[in-house]
Amino acid sequence: MEKHSALAEQFHHELTSKNRVTYIYKIDENYIAEISLVFDMKDADYTIAHQRIYISRLIVKREYRRQGIGKRLLSFAIEKAKEMAYKEASIGVDLDNYPALKLYIDSGFDKIICIDKDHQGAYIKLLKTL
């Protein structure tokens, strides 16, 4: 995290302020994957208070990919958002991340909020009605 200290600090703040909840997927006490729900991104594309929640940081270790773990974690996060009475979920993905893009579309993220580009490249914001 030294290379990404600002990001680590942001996540720490979001976790301690209860703006982010992160779920960890483990196998035999080994951390395999994670996913987060973020309540306020200060960006209406991603979050709207008590209506739209942002699904963030779906990460699966490379050696565990293509085993359905990401799909299970995404389904779990969507169910948690529904339990919290959210009506919509948003997600962002790099346009060149085809496996993630396919997963999100197959999981019902079927509305495009926007397609844009930043210093990291082109990305798309998607929306799912819960």
Side-chain angles (χ1 to χ4, degrees):
M1 291 306 290
E2 289 177 18
K3 287 174 35 179
H4 304 286
S5 60
L7 188 58
E9 187 176 315
Q10 174 191 339
F11 286 174
H12 181 263
H13 179 266
E14 287 175 347
L15 286 166
T16 57
S17 69
K18 298 188 173 146
N19 187 41
R20 171 184 295 267
V21 60
T22 298
Y23 302 98
I24 305 296
Y25 187 97
K26 296 184 339 182
I27 297 175
D28 298 327
E29 299 305 313
N30 294 311
Y31 292 94
I32 305 305
E34 70 178 64
I35 195 166
S36 295
L37 295 174
V38 181
F39 305 103
D40 184 7
M41 290 288 293
K42 309 227 180 314
D43 176 345
D45 284 349
Y46 283 128
T47 57
I48 299 172
H50 310 291
Q51 178 184 330
R52 181 180 299 166
I53 196 163
Y54 174 56
I55 298 177
S56 170
R57 305 282 300 166
L58 174 54
I59 301 169
V60 179
K61 283 186 176 179
R62 188 171 311 280
E63 61 269 27
Y64 291 94
R65 292 179 185 166
R66 304 202 48 84
Q67 298 178 29
I69 295 169
K71 184 176 183 177
R72 287 193 297 271
L73 266 178
L74 184 58
S75 293
F76 176 83
I78 290 167
E79 287 307 309
K80 287 294 182 186
K82 287 178 182 178
E83 289 173 12
M84 294 176 199
Y86 281 90
K87 305 290 184 241
E88 301 171 327
S90 66
I91 202 158
V93 62
D94 293 338
L95 279 176
D96 62 357
N97 187 346
Y98 304 116
L101 191 53
K102 180 177 180 346
L103 170 63
Y104 301 151
I105 291 169
D106 289 349
S107 298
F109 287 85
D110 57 359
K111 294 179 184 74
I112 296 173
I113 299 170
C114 81
I115 300 173
D116 206 345
K117 181 171 33 173
D118 63 15
H119 66 281
Q120 294 178 327
Y123 64 91
I124 187 169
K125 296 177 183 177
L126 298 171
L127 185 68
K128 173 183 176 71
T129 301
L130 303 180

